Amino acid sequence: MTSNYGADQIQVLEGLEAVRKRPGMYIGTTGPRGLHHLVYEVVDNSIDEALAGHCTHIEIDINADGSVSVLDNGRGIPTDKHPKTGKSALETVMTILHAGGKFGGGGYKVSGGLHGVGISVVNALSQWVEVKVWREGKLHTQRYERGFAQGELIASPELEHPTGTSVTFLPDTQIFTGGIEFEYSLLAGRLRELAYLNAGVAITFSDYRQEELHREIYCYEGGIKEYVSYMCREKELLHPEIIYVSGERNGTYVEVALQWCIDAYNDNILGFANNIRTIDGGTHLEGLKAVLTRTINAVARKRNKIKESESNLAGENVREGLTAVISVKVPDPEFEGQTKTKLGNTEVRGIVDSLVGEALNEYLEFRPQVADSIIEKALQAFRAAEAARRARELVRRKSVLESSPLPGKLADCSSRDPSESEIYIVEGDSAGGSAKQGRDRRFQAILPLRGKILNIEKTDDSKIYKNTEIQALITALGLGIRGEEFDVSALRYHRVIIMTDADVDGAHIRTLLLTFFYRYQRELADQGYIYIACPPLYKVERGRNYYYCYSDRELREKLSEFPANANYTIQLIKGLGEMMPEQLWQTTMNPETRTLKRVEIEDAAEADRVFTVLMGDRVAPRREFIETHGTKVNLTDLDI
Ligand code: 0RA
């Protein structure tokens, strides 16, 4: 360190000083994100060696002292003298800013964007670094402190050891003032992602900081195909095989894996450029979307699924239910945007478009069944979108003009004051009949629904608007358009009362209705307009007296009041339809004597989960939920 600095070497020192002065310029932040980037930077060098075809295994250790080691079985960083610096190639890479990329055998370096700043940046921002290189039958070691080499590179014979590189570093607490604690799960997530993106590379990750060793090995022979298959693990597949395309043009490598699923209505496309997740998209994703739309439309026309006079499927129709990963490797990546996670290279759009276009065309040509099922799914999406648009327009027009006729089966009340009006939503026509006769028509309206209403959770908007039961509900209540702002002034009744039988079917219909209200206009539930009627379960007669019991507990209590030798009869009330109108009024509808439960959604997120569990496709969690919670789903008793 003492003798004859050449001009170059002074430059070197200034270079790493600059990194220590403005670390943010090189690693973004000196918070946790920047700290973890140090690891990614070192790992990227080993990944590059793997991509060059010389390395199969990368081992990352968080050591007991909090330092991190990255070991690979590549060729080892060259250790011979570098002609310009007079230093070993290794020391040059470690101490000269941006030396890594320009250096060594014309290798293809894919790291870029957020990292790819070079291992010298890690060196500059570390309290110490220890490098080991196994090459040419020798072990070469050197230590650095805050960027400065501590002595020469030392070589000792180690004939039996395979080639490779090991870099161990401890981040500098002077730089990372918020601490240098690495988060296992953060690193694990990124390392797993790297394993998916680089098929066949085995990545071992160990954490020696606790008594108990954590170790995981990530290795995916199928690469991004396995990534897509993992993302689809709980979905129903539209076609049996993941569609996989890979190719190269002008030094740009493109890999795409595609899988459409039946029970999904969104798309889920992950983009990567040079192993970096491009959250803000970019030209590779633009190319992929364009070519998918064009190819599926062309195949659909060729197969006569779209007539000459008909319009093309839109991109979002084609992508409905699609899970995809696109990974490109570009020689000179340009990353744009605030977070530098948008690929800017314009040439990539056309390369992706033409490579994927050719391959996908050929793939579908030989698999007409796969082609037809993808086309059919897209056509369904297209029709659903059209129908939803028309239905929305219809509803909007109606609500604007307020000319929508009330449904024929609604027995409306005479009051026009919503604050005193209530509507009973009743299961079935016969119960509806009793309720109509039993009600106080001045302020009580009755809307009978026939059978089970649609499960809104599983249905797209167009079907929702077409369903007559739901249309009746929407117009009778004066609700607006799904998802749009709730307008209390349009609500025709301030008590919306669900009245169903006290059996399993009744409970199911009640849940369907609650789901409908929750999904359609949740404020209705949030603001406490929804109630549940409580019809009696039993009628107990003793002499000239009779009593209604609304639960098994009430029945037991009533019976225990009777003398031991009493004669009495218990009538099980099977359904609302069995009750006489007068009886229904007295037990369930008369505000003086009835019990109503107000539906309270205390915690919207929890309610959403409950509804999803109860109404979604997955049968197992539903059973579990019903077993543990019974039927008491967010209902709190409220006597009024
Ligand atoms: C350039 C040339 C050669 C190896 C590497 C870079 C290399 C760098 C790193 C960084 C971490 N692990 C690494 N492994 C290899 C070798 C050129 C040759 O041997 O001909």
Side-chain angles (χ1 to χ4, degrees), residues 183-240:
E183 195 183 317
Y184 184 86
S185 59
L186 205 63
L187 292 174
R190 172 62 181 161
L191 294 174
R192 183 197 298 273
E193 188 172 81
L194 279 172
Y196 276 125
L197 292 169
N198 300 282
V201 178
I203 297 181
T204 307
F205 181 37
S206 313
D207 187 349
Y208 292 91
R209 288 174 301 183
Q210 276 97 39
E211 300 263 304
E212 215 178 311
L213 169 70
H214 276 266
R215 168 169 289 167
E216 286 180 89
I217 301 175
Y218 316 114
C219 184
Y220 307 105
E221 287 302 333
I224 62 168
K225 242 186 298 184
E226 277 191 64
Y227 204 168
V228 166
S229 133
Y230 174 77
M231 291 197 284
C232 295
R233 69 199 174 283
E234 282 187 350
K235 296 186 187 145
E236 213 181 316
L237 307 181
L238 185 68
H239 48 98

Side-chain angles (χ1 to χ4, degrees), residues 470-603:
I470 286 181
Q471 265 187 0
L473 262 175
I474 294 171
T475 48
L477 267 59
L479 297 181
I481 293 161
R482 160 142 131 140
E484 286 189 2
E485 212 175 321
F486 173 60
D487 176 14
V488 193
S489 69
L491 187 63
R492 303 185 62 245
Y493 315 92
H494 283 190
R495 276 200 277 275
V496 176
I497 304 166
I498 300 172
M499 186 160 74
T500 58
D501 288 346
D503 59 10
V504 177
D505 271 353
H508 187 210
I509 292 168
R510 186 172 63 225
T511 314
L512 285 167
L513 281 166
L514 285 174
T515 310
F516 168 76
F517 289 128
Y518 181 77
R519 297 269 182 221
Y520 192 89
Q521 261 175 358
R522 99 158 34 157
E523 290 90 341
L524 211 56
D526 280 347
Q527 296 179 19
Y529 291 113
I530 302 190
Y531 298 83
I532 288 174
C534 302
L537 283 175
Y538 305 100
K539 183 180 182 185
V540 180
E541 283 184 81
R542 178 168 170 252
R544 259 172 288 137
N545 295 326
Y546 60 88
Y547 315 89
Y548 290 103
C549 300
Y550 293 82
S551 68
D552 288 350
R553 183 183 49 79
E554 261 185 59
L555 176 68
R556 272 196 308 276
E557 279 172 9
K558 181 49 73 186
L559 297 184
S560 72
E561 290 170 12
F562 296 162
N565 61 352
N567 278 325
Y568 56 86
T569 59
I570 303 172
Q571 182 202 348
L572 174 66
I573 300 168
K574 287 210 205 73
L576 299 165
E578 276 189 8
M579 279 194 266
M580 302 300 288
E582 172 54 29
Q583 200 180 3
L584 193 58
W585 163 256
Q586 198 189 334
T587 60
T588 317
M589 296 176 74
N590 179 357
E592 303 289 320
T593 52
R594 72 184 176 191
T595 300
L596 289 185
K597 289 177 179 175
R598 178 186 259 158
V599 174
E600 287 191 356
I601 306 212
E602 294 128 328
D603 176 350

Side-chain angles (χ1 to χ4, degrees), residues 323-344:
T323 299
V325 172
I326 175 167
S327 169
V328 296
K329 288 172 180 144
V330 185
D332 282 306
E334 296 155 28
F335 289 94
E336 300 174 343
Q338 191 89 61
T339 53
K340 298 271 175 253
T341 56
K342 182 174 183 185
L343 182 67

Side-chain angles (χ1 to χ4, degrees), residues 16 94-95 119-126 129 144 146-148:
L16 292 195
M94 293 304 292
T95 54
I119 205 162
S120 60
V121 168
V122 178
N123 191 23
L125 302 179
S126 293
V129 176
Y144 303 83
R146 300 203 161 99
F148 294 96

